[in-house]
Amino acid sequence: MSYRVIGIVVLAAILAAVPSIASEYWVALLTQVLIFGLLALSADLLLGHAGLFSLCHAAFFAVSAYTVAILQTRYGVTTIPAAVAGLVAGTLLAAVFASAVRTRGVYFILITLAFGYIVWGVAHRWASFTGGDNGVTNVPPPSLGGLQIVTKAHYYYFVLVVLAICLLGYRILTTSPFGLALRGIKSSESRMRSLGYRVGAHLYVAFIISGFYASLAGVLYIYYNRFVNPVAAGFPISVEAILMAIIGGTGTILGPFIGSGIILVLRNWVSGFFHYYTAVLGLIFIATVLWAPNGVMGLIRSWRSGNRGEGA
Amino acid sequence: MTIAIEVDNVSKQFAGLRAVDSVSLSIPQGERRVLLGPNGAGKTTLFHCISGTHQPTSGRIVMFGKDISNVSENARTALGMGRTFQISNVCTDLTVMENLLLGMLGTTSQKWSMFRPVTSDKELIGKAVASLERVGLQGRENEEVKYLSYGERRQLELALALSSNPRVLLLDEPCAGLSPSERTHFSKLVSGLSREITLLMIEHDIDVALALADKVTVLHRGRLIFDGLPDEVQKNADVKEVYFGRL
């Protein structure tokens, strides 16, 4: 337990020191890692805890980003109400898409995939409202009260603070009776039903909470990127979010962020000299499935516990 | 006398197979009833109809005077029904303690609580430890269920069924696959349960079954062929024919 506290303090100190020791490039990349890590974490609430493989999390991410962008640029709404509206829009969409929990397994994957494509299609084709392929540009930097967050380093700190609060909430959620019930459902639905749980209702609520976290990632993303186009709603983003969680380790808090770090750093680094960088990501994913099915966190855990190997 | 469970003319049809065929039985509160019958007699299907896993094709299930035919499985648990499964059905990825906490929270509104860790409820943990002791799983709280032996999983299965303080307990072959010494231990556990609990149990081990039963019901090919006292069942001509053929 005390090791965990020390670990958190050391990690926080390192993260806080990054802007003063690293270049702006790395600060920006790390911000991106944190934002996509949050998106991966939101998908992992369903995958790692409730056992549902969702392929539509880019939808909530993009809808909240578009909402903020359109409100700010077209209607001059200020940061805080725009961000709240973004969160509400993404979460409401999640409440609708959550009807997917009526299905399981491959049907759940397919229905969420279809839901995701609906949003992408709207973003792509409804050009008069969403700006089509060009998206929405020139989103102003966020301002909280009188405080404008302009520099990359300041925004990085802002994301860190928001994340710290979110992760605390996530941690409490996953250790609460509700979170435990989700893991019980993942393990045996029929047993949970006979213990008195309305499994569908639990999954429905979990889906909405997951959508809320994805929307929050969307809000952080739009102020980082300052523009949004249909790529944000695309299928690859949903897949990457899930892959980040799997590579880092599902059912953990740190895992999705580690996965996000691996994927984004590799992409930025490898794509500089190797055109087919996605092939490298593919290889990494295959290696994960073969040798570390529980991701990086799973590897760390099995090293620490000695020999209880959980390989395939 | 209060009737705990009344099965009223229940049938269950699976495509071409009538697994349960117009079965009626009524079990008074506090009685221990054993369901017997050869493989494929429809015992487990009848169980599933009572617990709500299956919807009967026709007929009614009444529990303490309330028609629960259209009540969902989880809501039946809230009304006071607990069950074990023929094939151990416990959450293998979780620890013994977590399984039990889920069982105890299942019928309370606390299962929706999101804002504090489940381990912060010391009273609940204490109760969980006590009920693990009751089934002989003390000291195994933090073991993940996948590392438990088969017999221990059966014990946990019983602890889970009891964790919601059921008024009616359905046990589907609780002793199946256990060693003789484990069987003795298990039947002691079951016979030591409060007489307030109405017990309906499927059991193939005839010694265990007759030692525990107040009354015995025999099913064959979905139909009820005998309903009576344990002493009578071994003398009954129909039952003999089902088990041994015509003599």
Side-chain angles (χ1 to χ4, degrees):
Chain A
M1 196 64 202
S2 59
Y3 276 117
R4 175 171 286 169
V5 175
I6 295 168
I8 291 173
V9 171
V10 170
L11 187 67
I14 293 172
L15 286 173
V18 165
S20 40
I21 52 178
S23 69
E24 203 175 52
Y25 169 80
W26 286 103
V27 173
L29 183 59
L30 192 55
T31 310
Q32 207 182 339
V33 166
L34 294 175
I35 293 169
F36 281 91
L38 181 62
L39 180 64
L41 185 77
S42 76
D44 190 44
L45 178 66
L46 293 181
L47 180 66
H49 294 271
L52 294 172
F53 195 108
S54 157
L55 280 180
C56 66
H57 271 58
F60 316 129
F61 180 76
V63 162
S64 84
Y66 266 105
T67 306
V68 173
I70 289 170
L71 284 177
Q72 283 241 298
T73 57
R74 239 171 267 164
Y75 302 97
V77 178
T78 54
T79 304
I80 291 173
V84 170
L87 285 176
V88 170
T91 312
L92 281 181
L93 185 73
V96 177
F97 284 8
S99 56
V101 302
R102 297 178 68 90
T103 61
R104 294 289 182 280
V106 74
Y107 299 101
F108 182 84
I109 298 176
L110 288 177
I111 194 101
T112 52
L113 174 67
F115 280 154
Y117 265 108
I118 293 173
V119 171
W120 174 82
V122 169
H124 182 62
R125 303 294 298 183
W126 191 11
S128 60
F129 185 65
T130 64
D133 266 341
N134 297 325
V136 185
T137 52
N138 292 323
V139 177
S143 64
L144 308 165
L147 187 74
Q148 263 218 337
I149 302 173
V150 182
T151 69
K152 290 206 161 68
H154 286 167
Y155 193 61
Y156 167 80
Y157 283 123
F158 175 73
V159 170
L160 263 191
V161 171
V162 172
L163 266 187
I165 297 166
C166 275
L167 295 190
L168 188 66
Y170 190 88
R171 167 85 190 157
I172 293 171
L173 176 75
T174 52
T175 53
S176 72
F178 179 79
L180 182 60
L182 292 184
R183 286 186 288 138
I185 291 168
K186 183 186 179 194
S187 194
S188 171
E189 245 187 90
S190 54
R191 172 40 98 183
M192 290 300 281
R193 235 179 275 120
S194 81
L195 288 178
Y197 290 83
R198 252 175 82 197
V199 169
H202 265 76
L203 292 180
Y204 187 82
V205 172
F207 195 105
I208 295 173
I209 295 171
S210 168
F212 169 80
Y213 273 91
S215 308
L216 185 61
V219 171
L220 293 177
Y221 169 79
I222 187 66
Y223 286 117
Y224 164 81
N225 216 29
R226 305 277 178 79
F227 83 93
V228 58
N229 65 11
V231 170
F235 173 64
I237 299 281
S238 291
V239 175
E240 264 174 24
I242 287 278
L243 291 189
M244 285 168 179
I246 292 175
I247 289 175
T250 58
T252 63
I253 287 189
L254 219 46
F257 291 93
I258 294 175
S260 165
I262 291 173
I263 288 187
L264 293 181
V265 169
L266 268 177
R267 176 195 292 162
N268 277 276
W269 174 52
V270 178
S271 67
F273 55 87
F274 188 48
H275 189 62
Y276 301 102
Y277 70 94
T278 47
V280 177
L281 289 182
L283 289 176
I284 287 178
F285 186 57
I286 292 171
T288 306
V289 170
L290 285 180
W291 295 300
N294 295 318
V296 175
M297 291 302 283
L299 276 185
I300 294 171
R301 214 179 304 133
S302 60
W303 279 334
R304 274 174 43 176
S305 69
N307 46 15
R308 258 185 190 174
E310 289 175 277
Chain B
M1 197 186 303
T2 326
I3 301 297
I5 287 285
E6 194 182 346
V7 175
D8 180 15
N9 208 14
V10 164
S11 297
K12 178 68 188 176
Q13 184 93 25
F14 291 114
L17 175 76
R18 207 163 180 83
V20 174
D21 193 358
S22 318
V23 170
S24 294
L25 44 97
S26 81
I27 307 170
Q29 184 177 6
E31 187 180 294
R32 292 177 175 174
R33 175 74 61 103
V34 171
L35 261 182
L36 291 175
N39 284 331
K43 304 181 297 292
T44 295
T45 307
L46 181 62
F47 244 55
H48 283 329
C49 289
I50 298 173
S51 71
T53 314
H54 290 332
Q55 186 76 25
T57 314
S58 63
R60 295 186 316 148
I61 308 284
V62 181
M63 181 163 141
F64 292 106
K66 182 179 159 61
D67 185 348
I68 56 166
S69 308
N70 294 314
V71 173
S72 67
E73 189 177 2
N74 54 285
R76 290 184 200 195
T77 306
L79 289 173
M81 192 182 276
R83 72 165 298 186
T84 67
F85 289 80
Q86 187 175 2
I87 297 160
S88 290
N89 187 354
V90 285
C91 299
T92 47
D93 300 330
L94 307 182
T95 65
V96 172
M97 175 60 89
E98 286 172 328
N99 267 276
L100 212 63
L101 291 174
L102 283 174
M104 297 169 63
L105 291 166
T107 47
T108 67
S109 59
Q110 240 193 304
K111 66 184 165 188
W112 285 103
S113 156
M114 299 179 185
F115 303 112
R116 63 189 205 138
V118 67
T119 46
S120 66
D121 191 339
K122 295 294 172 223
E123 198 191 326
L124 193 72
I125 301 277
K127 277 189 198 162
V129 170
S131 50
L132 283 176
E133 269 170 27
R134 182 156 63 157
V135 298
L137 281 174
Q138 61 275 19
R140 308 284 275 159
E141 292 87 2
N142 297 319
E143 194 70 40
E144 275 181 61
V145 172
K146 59 182 161 209
Y147 301 118
L148 251 54
S149 75
Y150 182 83
E152 287 172 323
R153 286 189 200 195
R154 296 310 280 175
Q155 285 164 285
L156 178 60
E157 182 88 17
L158 181 65
L160 280 183
L162 288 170
S163 61
S164 57
N165 291 322
R167 294 189 287 168
V168 174
L169 184 60
L170 310 176
L171 303 177
D172 194 349
E173 291 194 39
C175 294
L178 294 183
S179 71
S181 70
E182 284 173 323
R183 269 166 203 249
T184 319
H185 175 68
F186 213 96
S187 56
K188 262 192 206 139
L189 266 179
V190 175
S191 62
L193 291 176
S194 155
R195 290 302 303 206
E196 305 258 296
I197 302 176
T198 309
L199 202 67
L200 178 61
M201 172 166 137
I202 298 175
E203 185 51 66
H204 278 302
D205 185 320
I206 209 82
D207 295 328
V208 171
L210 296 186
L212 282 171
D214 295 328
K215 277 183 89 180
V216 174
T217 298
V218 183
L219 293 183
H220 179 54
R221 296 201 178 143
R223 287 185 160 275
L224 191 149
I225 61 162
F226 175 84
D227 202 6
L229 296 171
D231 296 339
E232 296 164 8
V233 69
Q234 284 165 304
K235 297 174 197 147
N236 185 280
D238 292 338
V239 176
K240 278 186 188 166
E241 191 183 324
V242 163
Y243 275 96
F244 304 113
R246 196 175 291 276
L247 296 173

